[in-house]
Structures are given as C-alpha cells and as structure tokens.
Amino acid sequence: MALTTSQLEDRFAQSLAAFKDAPAFSKKDKRTRLVSQLDLLSRSAEGMALIYERMPSLEEAGLFRDTVWEDPKRLVPGLVRGTLLSGSPTSTLEVVNELRLLSVQQNRLDLPGFSAEEAERYLQRLLVATFEMAFEDFEQKGWERYPKGELKKIRLLFKHLKRYIDFDALKPFLLEEIEVIVAHRPIVVTRIKQMLRVVHDRIDLDPRAEVDRKLSYYVNVLYEPSDLAKRHPSVEAYTKVLPQLKPEDLLAECQALGKCMIDTGLVSEYQLALLKYVERKQPDLIPAVLSLDTHGQADFERHGDFVRHLIMEFIVSGNKQAVYGLARVLQRNLLSRKTTWHAFNRFVTIKIHPKIAERLEQGNLSSYELTPKQSLMGGTLCALGQPLGVRQGNNPTCQSARGISMWSRHAPGKLINLLIDAATTNNVVFRFEGETIESAGVIEGLTQKFDFKLDPVSIVLVPHLDKVYNEMMKKASLKHFGKDPHSSVNPAFYGHWIQTGFASVYNPALHAVQDYDRFVRVFYASFHPEYNGGHHLIYPVPTGIFITDASANMLGYHAISLLRVEKDQEGVWRAYFFNPNSQGKQDWGQGIHPTVWGNGERHGESSLPIDQFVSRVYAYHYNDLRLGDKYLQVPAAIVSAITKISKESWGRKYRWV
Amino acid sequence: MANCFALMGWSLPVIESMQKSGLPYVVVSFPDFEAYAKQHDIPFVGFNLDEFGSHSNSLQLVELLKPYNADVAVPLYEETVEWAGALNSIYRDDPRVLNRAFLFRNKAMMKRKALLGGLKVGLFEEVYDKQQVHKFLDRLNEAELQLPGEDDAWFHAKPFAAAGTVGHHFIKSREDIDRKMSIKDFPCLVESHLSGKEFSCEAFIHDGKVRFLNITEYVKLGYSNFIPAGPELEGKRQLIHDEVQKMVDIFGIEYGMVHPEWFVSDDGKKINFGEVACRIPGGHILELLGQAYGFDALLAFVVSHDPNMSEEELDKYFPPKGYMPEKRYGNVMVFPKRGQISRLEIPEELLEEPYYLDNNLVEPLGPQKIGDREGFGNHFGTVNFVGEDHERMRELLKHYEDVPFYV
C-alpha cells in the first residue's frame, strides 16, 4: 500500500525544516534528502500541486542556492530536455525549478531581478524547446528506455504548466522554431515531424491569423499536401485514386508535392506513395515528384534505371526522407561522377555485417519497419544529398561529423568506399604517418552511451571514426611532443586537401596564448577576400573554436569547418561555417549570435560577421606558400578589436604573452 | 555543567548538533580544517592529532585549549580516543582515565581486562608474524580436539587499534592464513571465533551507570542496520543491560558512550563479549537512534562525557526513561558494485515502497571505476527506511543491499 499524500506531506515538511535549519556546511546533505522527498511527491498530481503551493517556502529555504539553477537569468531552455531525462535528483530539481518559475510568472513568488514577464517568456520558450515532451504521451518508440516513473513526472509537470501558460502565445515561437529547422535542413527530421504531428493532432489553428496560417502551411506539407490528399486523407485511398487522374492532373499533383518537399525538406507519406506509383506506371514523372531542375533531370535521364532501382528497393515509409536525399543527389550530379557511380553500384550489393545491422536497427526510431539495408542506403542518399545536414547528436564526436560532411561534399566516392568497409567488415583502416590504424584494433573511443538520434551513415561510421581519430591524436601527442596534435592529425584524418600551414593561439611550451596578433592577421590574409587577393576558399577549413556561453564564459572546444567568407545582402563580411552540433539559434555571449538563416546562409550553414567569428577561433589550417607578407596589410584596428573581444571571453582562462 | 566541550576530531553532524544546542564547544582537529572552520564560524584549534604515543604532548594541547576554557574532551573517532583520555585525565586529575582510554585502543589489553573481570571471550593471543599464527592455530585445533582430516577451527585476526571492520580477516582454514594475511597485518590480535548472531549496542554512561541503552540490529554488518532491534534482541534487553553494566564496571568506565559488540550464544540464553569502542559508531547508527527515539543522539553522546552535569540536567537530553518507540528506523549504506559506473539510478520499486523514507545518494560526476571497499569508508550515501514491522524491515534492508543503485 502506497503512502497517502498527507503522510508524504508530513515527511516533506520535516525534511524541508531540517534543510532550512541546517547550517551552511550541512546544507548539501539535507538538500539531497529533501530532493528525494520532492522526487516522491512529483510522481503524483497532488504531490506536484503541493510542491507548487509550497514553492515560496522552498525558495526561501534556499533550495536552489549554490546550484546551476540559482540565477534564473542564466537558465537555458534548450538544456531542459536533457536534464529532465537524466534521472533524479537532477530531473527532480529541474521539475521543481519549472514550478518555481511558474510561481514567479503567477506572481506568487518574487525572484530579485527576474520579473513575471521574464518568467513567462522563459516558460514559453521552454515549452517550445521541449515541445515533443510537453505534448507527448510517451507511447512512441524510443521512450521505453527511460524509467516509467520519471516519464510520469515529466508528464505531470507539463500538465501542470499547460494549465497556466496561454497556448496561443506559444505559436510565434513555435513557428520560428519550425522555420529555423526548415532553413537549417538537418538530415534527421524526427523533431520537426513530431512537432508538426502535435500541432496537427492537438492544436486549433485560425486561418485568419498570419502565424496560424504559416503553421498550417507546414502542417499541411505532411498532412494535406494537395487537394487530392485532402479529399482522400488515408494514404491507401489516395493511392487508389491516382490511376483515375487525368495526365495533366497527375503531373500537377507530382509538381505540387515536389514543391512542398523542395520548399521544406520534408517528405510526406503521400509523396512517397506518389513516387512509388509513378515509378511503376509512369517513370518519366519521377523528376516532377523530385522537383528536379534541368541539371537534375539530365542526371535522371542518364541513370534512370538505377534511380528506379533505388526507389523500388530501398525507399520505404521508415526512411521516406531518402526521397529528398535522392532528389539532392541527382541535383548534385553525383551519379555522373565516375568514382561515386562505381562506388554506389558496388555499395547496393553489399551484405551488411551483423553487428552493423544491429546498430542500424537500434537507430530506427520510427514506428515503421525498416531493414538495415534500406536504412543504410536511404541514409547514404541523405548524407550525400545534404552534406551540411550531418549532426553529431548528443555525442562528443564533432570531428567525425565534420569528416562525414566534408567527404560528402568533396569526396563522395571516398565516403561510400569507407561505408562499404565499415558496413561489411565492421572495421575501417586509415593511414597515419607511415603506419595504418584499424578501428577494430582500437579499444578506446566512444565508450559512453551512444546517442542513436543520428542519421544511418553516422550510426555506421562515427564509432569507427571516433576510435581512429582518438588513436591518431594519441600517436601524434607522443610523436610530436609539445605541438598541437591537430596539425598532423587533421590532414591524415580528413584528407590531403587540408592545408599544411597550421596556426594555434596556444603555445603549450609556455602554457600561454602567444602571438595572437599574427594569428588574427594570418586568418584574414588567408581567407578574407579583401586581404587575400580577392579569392574564395577552395576547400573547407577544419577550424577549432572555443565554445562560450551567453555570458562569454569558456565551456570547451569544438570542431567546425569554415566554408566560405562572403558579403551578405547588407554588405557585411561574414564567415559561413558548418557546425555539427548546431540546433539553430545560439548565444555565445558578447552579442555574438550565430544565425542559420536571414543572412545569406545556405541550408545547413551557420554564419557570423567575420570579426566575431575570428574571436572564437583557436586553431586553423592555411596555405603558407601563398601567404607571403599579405598578413602585414591587415589593419591594426581590426586586430586590436578582435583581441579585446577574445581577452574578455575565453581569454580570461588563459595567460597571455 | 561543562564550561566548554573539546570535540576531538572533525565531524560536521556533531558540530551541527552543538551549534543548534547552543552549548559551548571547540573543535580540535588537523590544521587543514582551519580555513573551513573560520569560514563557517566554528570555534577551532588546529592540532596534529597524530597517533598517540610517548612523544605526544597533551600539555601543549591543554594550553591551546585554555582560551576556550575547555574542561571536557569528547573523542569522535577511534584515533582520538587516547587524546581525549589524556585531556580528561588532566581535567579530572585522574591518571587512570588515560589508562582506560588505552583499553579501547589495544584489543589485546581489552580482552585481557575482560577476561580478568569474568566476561566470556575467545582464546586470544598477540602475534607478530605468520609463523606465530600457524602455531596459534595448532594450539587452537588441539584444544578443540581436532581429529586428522577434520576442518580447522575458525578464528579472527584484527589490528590492535582500528575502527570497525578495517583490516579484519576471518580465517577459516590454514590456507587462509597465507592467502589472506600479509606482512602489513602484523602485529595483531588473533582470537578464536565466537559463534552466534552478532549485534551491537550503544550505552550512554554517566557516573558509571548506564543511562540509556540502545540495541541495534545488524541485518548485514557494515551495510545495513535498524533501531530498535527486533523482538528477539529487544526481548533480552534486561540481560543485555546487565552485561553492559558488568562490562562498564570491569572497565571502570565513568562517562561517555560505549559501543560494544556482542554475540548471542546459540541457545539464546547468554551473550558473549566481542569488543568495545567509545567513539561514534559507523553506519549512521546515532542518526537512526535519534530519529527512532526522537532526540539528538549526537548531542547526548557529547553531554554524557560531562562529569559536572547533574542527573536532572542530563535527562533533558535523553528520551524519557523506559520509552519504547513504535516505529523502527533502518538504513542501507550503498556501495557501488565493483567495476565501471556512470550514473545514479534509483529503482522505481523503491519509490513505491511505503517504508522508504529518503536517501542522500550522491550523483557521480562522470564515469568512474569502483574498487574494493574497506571498513565503512567510501559509501555513496544511505537509503533510509521507516516502519513498524521488524520482519518487513529486515526483508527490505536485505533486498536493497544487493540492488545496484549505480549503473
């Protein structure tokens, strides 16, 4: 027999009193105990209501003092999903913190320097950032690995929050979130699809309001992409009615659905059904469904049989985004490159290693059946079609994601070749300074839990690449002692096009930042067209950056690629780059906000004004043969302005000489 | 009443109790703690409380404590028992107080004293190398009238002066001697095994009399215990009380708290003396005791060292005489299993258990490797239970010893 709420309430009151009365040195232990009571309470609706009611006394007792939640201004809605799923005590404190902010929003609690409006805005952003969870019944696949009680706690929290937060006010944020994802075009679209499903299932949209209209456009891409689909909402009925269409109507249907996809990067069940239908009955309409332009059509005409084979064999409901991947592959004319063509032809005949098959099956988070082979082939189409759509998920593997993206853009044959090795032998081989490294022979690497919310190519390759990369780093640190190992590892790992010059802010022998002036100058002289003789980049540049938070505190290191330096429509020189963990909007402090759209970014790119970008770089490769004395012509004012920004952010953690 | 209690050793829970009581105190501990003490307004005297010996200068410590007007020393840890004994000898002008402290710190001396006084103890000897252990086993086997082919008699080897189970070996055969013991174990005490169920009790002594007796039931030594004990042990309260008083008389203990361990004989009619300590017991026993009886047991521990306190004054710090609580409080100390762990995972079934009270388990900062445990050290927190039924309590404590909280 479980305890009654009033029994729990007594215990909670005692525990709270013990915490409140504890001297500073024993607060921590008493807090842990109090949180274990809150954990129990938060598992029932009455308990949740009780915590909410007692929020003022909890705050007064200092529940959040000396914790990461202490200053509400520094809370980041985007991190809440992770903490909610990390288990108690962290998840419990996170839940209670949300009730705390709700109390502020409801004017039941005063937090100095944090207004009710700020609290409301935070909660709105939170509900958008955790949208799938907020409206989830947790019945979908993928949730079963979390403890039921923890999920119940999350469900109760959102139920409680939704009672107070006006839903209509969320719509603009929701729309913004969706537009950012659409502009950024990740390969994995689980999140946006979940969001649209929830909007479709649970939210009334008013066609007279502009935000609602825009939202319903995105919902319709998946749920009502055409009049025909509207009239025949079940995919079976839709498919049945296709043969009755007049030829011009069928063409119009193909074009309409193709346009939906090209505008959003999203593939609906209807479009898949339509593609399968025309593939059988009228293959000349395939380019229309894929919305190909003349370049794409030319490739289709040349390789029509192979494309039909791909559609027939490998694209199903469980990986229907591969339709978009296929369209992009044809647009990029990849099949007309000899190496890619041969590699792909061999690739489709492979027999997948059982261990890899197992991983691919684990990676299928959809509710549809999907064979490992379908998953991998579809995933490869996506990775090749959207090189900048690769992400690292919750894995600390930015280098590997950067590699996959780089190869997809510049060496698709090499990427497929690697995939064949990995998928058939569960092993890959790399050369490193005269030795070879096989991933199967390396033990250390991705030892922590692997986040499977990744595209199939990453699921297959990343564990191998991560091991190889780590091994190279280890060898390089020993062999080139006292030098930054990246300088020799990057060319060996990514390929010969990585330039031989290497600049780093840090001198390990001195344990200090040295010659930062030159570091900035060489960057400008190598990549900025106004100082490098008017040239664009030939290859992407693997670049190491400091990650900083909204207060410009240094958080760690990260690997990205600099793709191009160009003027945006306002005439500002910007650095456009690929960031494998980009989720859209970010705040790096000091007013530095990388954007993913609206400033000339192509799908998948992030960008910053070049000076802001340079202020976060710690290492890059450049061509030292072509440098000459160009770096001397970079104005001192630019250099000193950047130095100031750097010194006041990550630079605070370093000694400067 | 004491002018000022000198707490020998660093214990935050005791400091917390003293702060709340408002009684005057000063902490004596290693100078490393000084900055922390200052930060939290804890009266503090930094002193190297190294192992007590002929070189130890307790007079110097007395001088350092003079500004605080300290007149009662309270040992919190095994290692500070002699130091407290030395100070109290001076404060009470009675050199035998220090000698009594040695009793607690030298297990061979303790056993001899017990034997002299008529408590049943095992066959014991002080040994200095393995050779002597083998000889001891020869004599023990001989006394047990062992025939060829029969198993060896069981015995224990323990350091002269260490808390709880630290450095303890249970030897069940001749091979065990070489397998389990090494040079660093010597010298030590070896003692024949006393059969029977082991339990401990906490007796608060004032003016040579047992003022309050608690009986703790171990479910598994070093992992879990609950208070008050089940009816099997509580039913023997009078017997236990008498034996404890006998021991107190034999050892000449006047003030403080003793924490003896006993074995109930197989017929349940007698209890045999194991050993005794006079510091705060491990396993958060005083915390459980306080919760169960509704008093501050740590504070009671401190004040029972005060010879100047009257009986009436003392009563304020203890539960009413003869009071027996209805509910039992128990805990399980959680030790991660050997191997790699990365996070805390509290089992759902625990959260649905009505006897579950709370926990203070820490979250690991990241993946880490767990080695073997020693004594009561390095546990990751406790899970606490409360409920009336002793059988259910036993069942739960037993069950949760084996549940992995860290994965």
Side-chain angles (χ1 to χ4, degrees):
Chain A
M1 188 197 75
L3 290 174
T4 64
T5 310
S6 83
Q7 281 170 311
L8 282 175
E9 192 178 341
D10 284 347
R11 289 186 179 183
F12 165 67
Q14 277 176 23
S15 196
L16 177 57
F19 172 69
K20 203 176 158 186
D21 297 340
F25 54 77
S26 75
K27 281 270 189 238
K28 209 174 144 196
D29 177 63
K30 302 285 194 298
R31 184 195 335 261
T32 316
R33 288 172 168 225
L34 175 58
V35 172
S36 72
Q37 295 294 343
L38 291 166
D39 181 21
L40 284 177
L41 283 173
S42 63
R43 286 156 189 265
S44 72
E46 303 83 18
M48 192 70 84
L50 179 74
I51 300 174
Y52 180 62
E53 191 210 310
R54 298 291 164 84
M55 213 48 242
S57 31
L58 278 165
E59 179 65 26
E60 194 201 326
L63 180 64
F64 293 100
R65 211 167 294 146
D66 300 323
T67 71
V68 291
W69 292 272
E70 180 167 9
D71 179 4
K73 279 195 187 310
R74 294 191 59 181
L75 297 174
V76 184
L79 298 179
V80 173
R81 185 193 150 85
T83 41
L84 282 178
L85 289 173
S86 65
S88 199
T90 303
S91 63
T92 303
L93 275 166
E94 185 61 62
V95 164
V96 179
N97 179 58
E98 261 59 87
L99 297 177
R100 169 190 184 218
L101 299 184
L102 181 64
S103 305
V104 176
Q105 189 259 348
Q106 293 289 311
N107 290 309
R108 295 185 54 244
L109 177 68
D110 273 335
L111 290 186
F114 196 69
S115 67
E117 291 69 39
E118 281 173 295
E120 174 158 280
R121 171 130 176 89
Y122 177 87
L123 290 170
Q124 286 166 342
R125 281 166 58 216
L126 172 77
L127 281 173
V128 174
T130 53
F131 195 69
E132 330 85 271
M133 281 169 110
F135 294 89
E136 183 58 82
D137 47 14
F138 300 113
E139 299 296 325
Q140 306 276 320
K141 206 176 155 189
W143 290 111
E144 67 276 357
R145 66 194 171 112
Y146 297 102
K148 278 202 168 62
E150 287 289 312
L151 294 180
K152 185 176 180 200
K153 193 192 295 188
I154 296 170
R155 208 163 47 223
L156 289 170
L157 168 71
F158 284 114
K159 206 171 156 195
H160 192 88
L161 286 182
K162 284 188 286 185
R163 236 180 275 155
Y164 296 92
I165 302 296
D166 173 23
F167 207 85
D168 274 341
L170 293 188
K171 288 176 183 168
F173 302 113
L174 205 54
L175 177 63
E176 191 189 352
E177 184 90 357
I178 289 169
E179 283 177 332
V180 164
I181 299 177
V182 163
H184 211 30
R185 301 263 160 122
I187 292 175
V188 178
V189 290
T190 325
R191 181 166 149 73
I192 186 172
K193 285 200 169 170
Q194 274 176 333
M195 288 171 80
L196 292 172
R197 174 171 58 78
V198 171
V199 176
H200 174 256
D201 291 352
R202 319 208 168 177
I203 295 172
D204 293 325
L205 296 172
D206 177 0
R208 286 164 303 175
E210 197 194 340
V211 168
D212 291 39
R213 265 206 310 280
K214 284 185 176 165
L215 275 175
S216 77
Y217 164 73
Y218 289 111
V219 172
N220 288 347
V221 165
L222 290 184
Y223 293 94
E224 226 171 72
S226 65
D227 278 345
L228 192 69
K230 190 175 181 178
R231 277 182 276 128
H232 304 278
S234 92
V235 177
E236 290 74 37
Y238 176 80
T239 315
K240 266 193 195 139
V241 82
L242 289 175
Q244 298 156 24
L245 293 185
K246 284 185 257 169
E248 63 270 26
D249 290 343
L250 184 60
L251 175 63
E253 184 71 15
C254 292
Q255 286 168 336
L257 268 57
K259 186 170 183 324
C260 279
M261 173 184 77
I262 232 66
D263 288 346
T264 61
L266 298 174
V267 177
S268 65
E269 274 296 309
Y270 303 102
Q271 188 185 10
L272 177 66
L274 182 62
L275 181 64
K276 292 269 181 186
Y277 173 75
V278 298
E279 188 279 319
R280 283 194 313 271
K281 302 286 181 194
Q282 216 179 325
D284 59 311
L285 284 178
I286 291 176
V289 184
L290 298 180
S291 199
L292 300 179
D293 69 6
T294 45
H295 293 281
Q297 279 184 25
D299 238 34
F300 174 74
E301 274 155 31
R302 214 168 150 196
H303 304 292
D305 287 346
F306 186 64
V307 171
R308 287 182 64 188
H309 176 68
L310 291 177
I311 296 173
M312 200 164 60
E313 287 287 318
F314 301 120
I315 304 182
V316 290
S317 289
N319 66 354
K320 52 183 170 289
Q321 279 300 116
V323 175
Y324 183 56
L326 174 64
R328 296 287 313 142
V329 164
L330 291 167
Q331 285 296 136
R332 290 187 67 200
N333 300 124
L334 288 184
L335 297 181
S336 293
R337 292 198 202 180
K338 267 260 150 46
T339 48
T340 322
W341 171 249
H342 288 304
F344 218 132
N345 271 279
R346 182 182 296 198
F347 190 40
V348 295
T349 65
I350 62 165
K351 191 167 180 302
I352 296 180
H353 190 280
K355 279 268 179 276
I356 296 289
E358 206 177 288
R359 298 177 66 81
L360 285 165
E361 271 166 16
Q362 257 178 293
N364 174 24
L365 300 177
S366 80
S367 51
Y368 298 102
E369 291 281 317
L370 185 63
T371 68
K373 186 104 177 241
Q374 289 166 340
S375 167
L376 183 57
M377 296 303 143
T380 304
L381 287 172
C382 290
L384 290 173
Q386 300 173 262
L388 301 182
V390 179
R391 299 285 181 272
Q392 69 190 78
N394 285 325
N395 302 301
T397 51
C398 41
Q399 290 93 357
S400 304
R402 178 166 76 174
I404 293 170
S405 168
M406 219 180 264
W407 297 322
S408 168
R409 268 182 95 144
H410 292 282
K414 175 184 166 116
L415 178 62
I416 301 173
N417 202 45
L418 259 180
L419 275 168
I420 294 174
D421 282 350
T424 55
T425 65
N426 195 21
N427 192 4
V428 297
V429 195
F430 275 69
R431 258 187 293 268
F432 182 69
E433 304 197 341
E435 297 176 63
T436 55
I437 297 175
E438 289 191 32
S439 63
V442 182
I443 301 158
E444 267 179 71
L446 203 65
T447 48
Q448 298 202 21
K449 262 171 101 185
F450 189 68
D451 173 18
F452 278 94
K453 275 199 175 157
L454 289 181
D455 68 285
V457 167
S458 298
I459 284 175
V460 171
L461 282 184
V462 169
H464 291 284
L465 295 177
D466 189 59
K467 285 182 176 179
V468 169
Y469 188 85
N470 279 335
E471 190 65 14
M472 283 185 180
M473 287 293 278
K474 243 201 245 167
K475 284 186 190 289
S477 320
L478 288 175
K479 205 165 167 182
H480 310 292
F481 184 73
K483 276 172 90 179
D484 189 330
H486 293 98
S487 67
S488 52
V489 170
N490 284 341
F493 188 67
Y494 297 120
H496 56 84
W497 55 74
I498 305 302
Q499 302 297 319
T500 51
F502 182 76
S504 165
V505 296
Y506 183 67
N507 181 337
L510 296 175
H511 294 295
V513 177
Q514 191 188 22
D515 216 353
Y516 188 65
D517 213 71
R518 184 183 153 90
F519 180 85
V520 174
R521 287 172 177 279
V522 172
F523 188 95
Y524 269 74
S526 301
F527 309 125
H528 195 310
E530 279 184 351
Y531 303 98
N532 73 358
H535 300 297
H536 289 294
L537 267 65
I538 300 176
Y539 293 112
V541 182
T543 306
I545 59 166
F546 292 111
I547 289 292
T548 51
D549 67 10
S551 309
N553 298 306
M554 179 180 152
L555 298 180
Y557 309 96
H558 186 45
I560 61 162
S561 297
L562 176 64
L563 302 174
R564 58 193 176 101
V565 176
E566 273 169 36
K567 266 188 191 167
D568 67 13
Q569 60 271 40
E570 308 285 322
V572 177
W573 284 102
R574 298 182 78 85
Y576 294 91
F577 57 97
F578 168 68
N579 178 0
N581 81 353
S582 169
Q583 285 142 5
K585 287 198 302 183
Q586 293 190 35
D587 185 350
W588 291 358
Q590 297 174 310
I592 300 179
H593 301 278
T595 52
V596 301
W597 69 318
N599 293 301
E601 298 89 350
R602 296 174 190 147
H603 294 316
E605 285 180 338
S606 300
S607 87
L608 275 177
I610 182 137
D611 52 335
Q612 296 187 352
F613 179 77
V614 177
S615 78
R616 290 296 183 265
V617 175
Y618 74 83
Y620 58 85
H621 290 265
Y622 65 98
N623 185 313
D624 40 5
L625 292 181
R626 295 184 211 137
L627 183 63
D629 62 357
K630 289 192 210 107
Y631 68 97
L632 295 174
Q633 285 141 35
V634 180
I638 292 183
V639 179
S640 61
I642 291 174
T643 308
K644 186 169 182 293
I645 309 178
S646 301
K647 279 194 170 169
E648 288 168 4
S649 55
W650 57 266
R652 284 178 283 167
K653 282 228 172 151
Y654 288 87
R655 205 161 65 85
W656 291 64
V657 293
Chain B
M1 178 126 128
N3 293 323
C4 176
F5 292 94
L7 306 178
M8 309 301 293
W10 182 260
S11 162
L12 288 175
V14 177
I15 296 170
E16 183 175 348
S17 288
M18 293 308 284
Q19 280 196 353
K20 285 185 180 155
S21 72
L23 295 179
Y25 74 99
V26 56
V27 173
V28 181
S29 188
F30 292 94
D32 295 358
F33 292 101
E34 183 140 20
Y36 188 91
K38 205 167 207 157
Q39 191 194 335
H40 291 94
D41 293 325
I42 297 166
F44 185 81
V45 168
F47 195 80
N48 276 311
L49 294 170
D50 294 330
E51 196 176 330
F52 193 87
S54 52
H55 59 284
S56 300
N57 189 347
S58 45
L59 292 173
Q60 187 198 351
L61 184 52
V62 169
E63 283 307 310
L64 288 171
L65 285 169
K66 268 201 179 136
Y68 295 90
N69 211 8
D71 55 355
V72 174
V74 181
L76 303 186
Y77 295 105
E78 192 71 34
E79 293 77 8
T80 61
V81 167
E82 295 107 316
W83 281 104
L87 291 183
N88 285 331
S89 279
I90 297 167
Y91 294 144
R92 277 148 62 184
D93 194 20
D94 177 0
R96 230 185 282 280
V97 175
L98 175 58
N99 288 357
R100 264 177 232 128
F102 289 141
L103 269 180
F104 292 102
R105 293 286 290 154
N106 182 327
K107 283 181 187 162
M109 183 176 160
M110 179 196 296
K111 294 273 161 176
R112 269 193 291 278
K113 185 74 179 158
L115 190 64
L116 282 173
L119 292 173
K120 177 177 172 181
V121 296
L123 177 67
F124 67 93
E125 263 172 52
E126 290 152 272
V127 288
Y128 295 83
D129 57 35
K130 276 193 197 171
Q131 197 65 35
Q132 294 182 337
V133 182
H134 282 282
K135 291 258 167 65
F136 170 78
L137 180 57
D138 289 342
R139 290 191 290 272
L140 180 60
N141 281 337
E142 195 182 19
E144 295 281 11
L145 311 179
Q146 186 199 39
L147 292 173
E150 278 182 348
D151 290 341
D152 291 317
W154 293 357
F155 66 99
H156 300 262
K158 25 190 158 176
F160 290 133
T165 57
V166 177
H168 183 148
H169 301 292
F170 189 2
I171 310 284
K172 294 182 174 178
S173 69
R174 195 170 288 281
E175 292 74 54
D176 268 3
I177 300 176
D178 295 315
R179 204 160 51 79
K180 293 182 177 169
M181 298 186 74
S182 64
I183 286 176
K184 67 176 169 41
D185 290 319
F186 294 99
C188 67
L189 175 80
V190 284
E191 185 188 13
S192 62
H193 177 68
L194 291 168
S195 63
K197 192 176 158 53
E198 191 180 7
F199 72 96
S200 84
C201 59
E202 287 69 40
F204 293 74
I205 313 297
H206 199 258
D207 201 16
K209 295 273 171 304
V210 176
R211 167 62 186 80
F212 176 79
L213 173 70
N214 167 62
I215 305 169
T216 302
E217 178 163 338
Y218 293 152
V219 176
K220 186 176 176 188
L221 180 63
Y223 282 92
S224 52
N225 32 64
F226 67 86
I227 294 171
E232 301 84 350
L233 281 174
E234 279 296 339
K236 298 188 196 348
R237 177 168 272 274
Q238 193 55 47
L239 170 67
I240 295 169
H241 190 281
D242 295 347
E243 287 294 312
V244 170
Q245 187 64 56
K246 192 155 121 196
M247 180 201 78
V248 167
D249 294 342
I250 292 168
F251 284 17
I253 300 160
E254 292 172 305
Y255 299 99
M257 190 207 81
V258 288
H259 165 61
E261 282 172 356
W262 305 90
F263 297 90
V264 184
S265 67
D266 291 337
D267 61 7
K269 289 184 181 147
K270 272 190 299 210
I271 60 167
N272 296 320
F273 176 70
E275 60 183 68
V276 60
C278 67
R279 35 120 189 134
I280 295 177
H284 305 280
I285 284 175
L286 291 193
E287 194 185 308
L288 290 180
L289 170 60
Q291 283 180 304
Y293 284 85
F295 73 119
D296 187 339
L298 288 168
L299 189 59
F301 169 83
V302 173
V303 298
S304 53
H305 286 81
D306 182 2
N308 304 318
M309 194 170 271
S310 70
E311 288 297 311
E312 294 71 42
E313 279 177 309
L314 197 66
D315 284 345
K316 285 192 294 190
Y317 297 96
F318 283 94
K321 284 181 179 146
Y323 169 70
M324 209 55 210
E326 281 168 14
K327 283 189 174 157
R328 296 185 157 79
Y329 281 76
N331 67 17
V332 176
M333 268 158 279
V334 175
F335 297 86
K337 309 282 177 248
R338 239 185 106 100
Q340 193 79 26
I341 60 158
S342 60
R343 65 197 161 83
L344 168 64
E345 199 175 280
I346 295 167
E348 299 262 310
E349 54 159 352
L350 174 65
L351 299 166
E352 283 157 21
E353 167 56 51
Y355 273 33
Y356 166 64
L357 176 60
D358 63 5
N359 77 73
N360 65 353
L361 299 175
V362 295
E363 281 186 297
L365 292 173
Q368 63 187 96
K369 235 185 158 144
I370 300 299
D372 287 325
R373 59 171 291 206
E374 178 151 307
F376 280 103
N378 68 27
H379 70 88
F380 273 49
T382 53
V383 179
N384 299 300
F385 296 86
V386 57
E388 287 169 19
D389 181 24
H390 62 279
E391 274 168 20
R392 177 71 184 145
M393 184 65 90
R394 264 176 220 155
E395 210 172 87
L396 283 169
L397 298 190
K398 213 176 181 57
H399 174 69
Y400 284 104
E401 273 157 25
D402 295 326
V403 170
F405 285 85
Y406 292 90
V407 290

